[in-house]
Amino acid sequence: MRTGPALLPALILTLLTCTARASDAPPPPPAPPAPSVPAIASTWPVGSHPLVLRGWEPPATVYARGHRGVDLATQPGAPARAVAPGRVSFAGRVAGRGVVSVELAGTDLRTTYEPVSASVKKGDEVEPGQVVGTVELTGSHCTTTCVHWGLLRGEMYLDPLALLPPWLLNRGPSRLLPVLATPVS
């Protein structure tokens, strides 16, 4: 019984020392900044300004939930176009769906388009606006026909909308318009 009360202050002192040491630990390093993506696209992959059905939702970890691209509304049979110059790195089927992948010239980026029936083959050089395939009518994850447009740097997924310059996104700079004065009588 006599050692019990003597141990309590020692235990409290030990816990306080451990807590103080833990708070002295340096903070974890900040997360690396999001990699920059050059706005090099000169066209949308489908249409002139398609409705974005689902935007890019980066996953918290490599295998976590997320949406690794954007879904663009379109019609079956619509042309899918290269958004920037590059070389086709893949044109074929993956899990029953047509996929076209283009390595963008002068960058370490590649775009993907699916479900698309390819009209190009691996190794073909493509220019902005060039048709790389036609949109397939498949069991899509969209409620309507869509093209899933992806962007990768190595194995890291990025937001493909970042490839589009502001004038293509209709998000140009704010402009002040003149205020019309009321004529004085």
Side-chain angles (χ1 to χ4, degrees):
M1 291 293 270
R2 299 178 85 202
T3 57
L7 287 178
L8 185 60
L11 180 61
I12 291 173
L13 183 59
T14 302
L15 289 174
L16 289 175
T17 304
C18 291
T19 304
R21 286 187 182 151
S23 65
D24 291 342
S36 65
V37 174
I40 58 172
S42 57
T43 186
W44 284 86
V46 291
S48 60
H49 194 281
L51 176 65
V52 176
L53 298 172
R54 184 172 178 194
W56 183 65
E57 300 163 13
T61 64
V62 176
Y63 299 107
R65 282 186 166 171
H67 193 236
R68 293 159 172 85
V70 296
D71 293 335
L72 305 174
T74 190
Q75 297 296 317
R81 302 179 184 280
V83 297
R87 179 184 307 267
V88 177
S89 59
F90 180 84
R93 302 202 71 77
V94 175
R97 294 184 188 185
V99 177
V100 174
S101 184
V102 177
E103 294 173 351
L104 301 179
T107 72
D108 58 349
L109 301 169
R110 76 180 183 277
T111 59
T112 58
Y113 312 89
E114 67 103 350
V116 172
S117 178
S119 60
V120 293
K121 63 185 182 313
K122 182 177 179 176
D124 285 353
E125 297 283 333
V126 294
E127 294 299 321
Q130 180 178 336
V131 175
V132 296
T134 56
V135 178
E136 296 177 339
L137 177 59
T138 64
S140 175
H141 62 280
C142 296
T143 57
T144 182
T145 306
C146 72
V147 165
H148 180 83
W149 179 32
L151 177 65
L152 293 104
R153 174 176 282 132
E155 298 300 315
M156 180 189 307
Y157 288 90
L158 304 169
D159 183 1
L161 293 177
L163 288 171
L164 298 170
W167 61 271
L168 267 175
L169 288 169
N170 290 337
R171 287 193 273 187
S174 299
R175 298 176 195 256
L176 296 176
L177 298 175
V179 177
L180 300 175
T182 310
V184 178
S185 316

